[in-house]
Amino acid sequence: MIPSDLYYAKSHEYLRIVGHEALIGITDHAAEQLGDVVFADLPTVGQKVQSGDTIGALESVKAVSDLYAPVAGEVIDVNRELEAEPGLINEDPYNKGWIIKLTISDPSQAEALLRADAYEKWVEEGH
Amino acid sequence: MSPNAKPKRTPLYDRHVALGAKIVPFSGWEMPVQYQGITREHLCVRQHAGVFDVSHMAIVEVTGPDALAYLESLVPNRVSRLKPGQALYTQLLNREGGTLDDLIIYALQGRYFLVVNAGNTDQDLAWLNAQRKGDVAVNHLRDWGLLALQGPEAEKILAPLVPADLSLIPYFGLWEGDDLIVSRTGYTGEDGFELFLPPGKLLPLWDRLMAAHVTPCGLGARDTLRLEAAYPLYGHELDASTTPLEAGLAWTVKLEKGDFLGREALKARSLQKKLVGFHLEGRAIPRQGYPILQDGEPVGEVTSGTLSPVLDTPIGLGYLPPNAKGPFAVEIRGKQCPLKMVALPFYRGSARSR
């Protein structure tokens, strides 16, 4: 079940937006495609990003998947639990497996993202 | 394979799907890459046992009074030393000494089996037929199945299921029964067997292995296991521009045995590169194609890499110039990750030595 209160990027990141902050991770669909995550290559706190920038990577045994910033902003926190437990991304992608927190510089960019129904359809189409 | 050809499935496809396998395209086949997870399957093979459906690989039967002479002239290893019941690992070379495929040749009663990579099947069959000399027949046994049962418990698991005395089969030896051929070979570095099943025999044996609670394992774990054992994979450590000597396989090349296809080129060619193995510090994983740098300049390339499930560190194989001296680093997403050269294999499992 895709959480209905989140925003989604076509590149399979989700955003949980609270005020001007966004908590970013990858959806359970993406986590399942990737396989067991063994390493999360995270951005540095303070890094400024544009929408579409590569801000990190997730390594599984079989493949590496880039992480993209769904909106522009500044990285204010990264999930340090992932260093010892990268598998949290697979176990609990929407909560304990969050990856990056950023302040959103342009809130209108969120409107260009998908909501739950549209993301589900995107996945069903085979993306 | 033509781009529109329908992907092939082994007879076990429905079994894999029912077991929850993630199916992926592989060399024109739809194959299970994992069931429970690559790391879990990998560790299960190292600690207990696992079974792989490798029926996508091609079993090629070679028969005829001139079969030995034909094979001896075609591959760099010494086929004439095989008595029925023995196997060897070798390659098919082009005239420049480059590798067209790597394979195992199994000497049976009155015939040979060659098992070649799925991705090279069509080219290999064309090559084998084009190189035929004398009274030789080359026959692709497309309705046969092939399983690999690998791990320290493989013999204990298989013993009640087959009429052979498995304890008598040496490493790279084999036993021929009416319904099945069992070789003590594999691609994991563990003790284990490859099981050759004539038509109709694959599903019953698979079902008996599942009833015995053997863990099914996919191509993902097959790759991480062979990499820890430092076995080459065609398309990575071996390709048409790479000789077996460059890939660290000189022990399989018998230049002194007499003429074989590619021998003159191998003798004339100097080594352009050498295969090395390494660990990386940190957790970023080296992957095929990543540059290997010396003083910031690319001098080589990674051919395979993963996070070793057993060693819990990133490992990789790659090529460097023959006389290159370090220190070296792998470039991963713009960062230089220092590498530590190690002796191979990365991990020595329960496979017996010759």
Side-chain angles (χ1 to χ4, degrees), chain B residues 25-302:
Chain B
F26 183 83
S27 295
W29 294 77
E30 289 181 321
M31 295 297 291
V33 69
Q34 65 174 60
Y35 303 78
Q36 298 171 59
I38 294 175
T39 303
R40 241 183 317 165
E41 292 162 28
H42 178 118
L43 293 173
C44 195
V45 169
R46 290 261 179 259
Q47 291 159 7
H48 307 289
V51 63
F52 301 80
D53 175 13
V54 286
S55 305
H56 60 315
M57 300 185 76
I59 302 172
V60 182
E61 179 196 50
V62 177
T63 49
D66 298 323
L68 172 57
Y70 158 71
L71 289 173
E72 192 74 289
S73 73
L74 202 52
V75 302
N77 207 342
R78 203 189 294 271
V79 186
S80 58
R81 74 157 176 80
L82 293 179
K83 299 201 256 294
Q86 295 178 329
L88 60 69
Y89 167 73
T90 187
Q91 304 82 30
L92 294 175
L93 304 181
N94 59 30
R95 291 180 202 291
E96 293 74 49
T99 312
L100 296 175
D101 207 356
D102 65 339
L103 67 152
I104 296 184
I105 299 181
Y106 305 78
L108 306 175
Q109 293 293 340
R111 57 181 175 166
Y112 295 90
F113 276 7
L114 279 51
V115 174
V116 299
N117 283 301
N120 295 327
T121 298
D122 293 342
Q123 304 95 290
D124 288 354
L125 286 167
W127 182 256
L128 290 167
N129 275 302
Q131 304 308 324
R132 258 181 317 136
K133 271 198 288 250
D135 190 350
V136 173
V138 169
N139 183 18
H140 178 196
L141 301 179
R142 8 173 126 255
D143 297 325
W144 279 57
L146 189 59
L147 297 178
L149 175 65
Q150 302 280 304
E153 292 171 14
E155 181 175 313
K156 191 167 63 135
I157 289 166
L158 190 60
L161 303 182
V162 305
D165 184 348
L166 299 175
S167 68
L168 297 179
I169 307 179
Y171 186 52
F172 270 77
L174 62 99
W175 171 87
E176 278 187 82
D178 295 324
D179 291 337
L180 126 112
I181 296 167
V182 179
S183 67
R184 194 170 219 124
T185 44
Y187 195 46
T188 60
E190 297 301 323
D191 188 27
F193 303 92
E194 290 177 320
L195 310 168
F196 295 73
L197 289 319
K201 306 295 180 190
L202 175 63
L203 260 87
L205 184 58
W206 175 270
D207 288 343
R208 291 173 79 193
L209 289 166
M210 291 301 110
H213 306 293
V214 180
T215 300
C217 301
L219 295 182
R222 184 167 165 82
D223 187 39
T224 51
L225 286 159
R226 71 92 193 168
L227 186 47
E228 277 183 349
Y231 294 152
L233 173 61
Y234 194 82
H236 292 246
E237 290 70 45
L238 291 170
D239 59 29
S241 68
T242 304
T243 74
L245 302 178
E246 290 164 333
L249 298 172
W251 61 276
T252 71
V253 176
K254 312 297 181 196
L255 290 171
E256 69 285 4
K257 71 164 181 171
D259 198 28
F260 58 84
L261 207 161
R263 178 175 183 262
E264 289 317 301
L266 283 185
K267 286 176 66 181
R269 236 170 120 142
S270 56
L271 302 184
Q272 302 298 302
K273 57 194 182 188
K274 68 174 177 195
L275 187 68
V276 297
F278 51 87
H279 290 190
L280 292 188
E281 296 159 22
R283 304 296 281 176
I285 297 174
R287 298 187 191 269
Q288 183 177 30
Y290 287 13
I292 301 178
L293 311 176
Q294 177 186 46
D295 296 327
E297 289 306 310
V299 295
E301 199 171 272
V302 176

Side-chain angles (χ1 to χ4, degrees), chain A residues 2-8 15-18 94 114-116:
Chain A
I2 311 276
S4 56
D5 57 333
L6 304 181
Y7 290 83
Y8 298 91
L15 285 86
R16 185 186 302 281
I17 299 180
V18 179
Y94 298 109
L114 305 174
R115 298 315 304 264

Side-chain angles (χ1 to χ4, degrees), chain A residues 31-36 38-39 41-42 56-64 66 83, chain B residues 22 33-34 37-39 219-220 223-224 283-285 287 290 305-307 332-333 335:
Chain A
E32 206 251 333
Q33 291 298 303
L34 190 54
D36 293 336
V38 297
F39 176 54
D41 203 348
L42 301 172
L58 298 178
E59 301 247 42
S60 74
V61 162
K62 200 85 195 100
V64 61
D66 284 331
E83 204 176 331
Chain B
K22 190 190 307 188
V33 69
Q34 65 174 60
I38 294 175
T39 303
L219 295 182
D223 187 39
T224 51
R283 304 296 281 176
I285 297 174
R287 298 187 191 269
Y290 287 13
T306 190
L307 185 77
I332 301 180
R333 294 184 289 281
K335 284 205 285 263

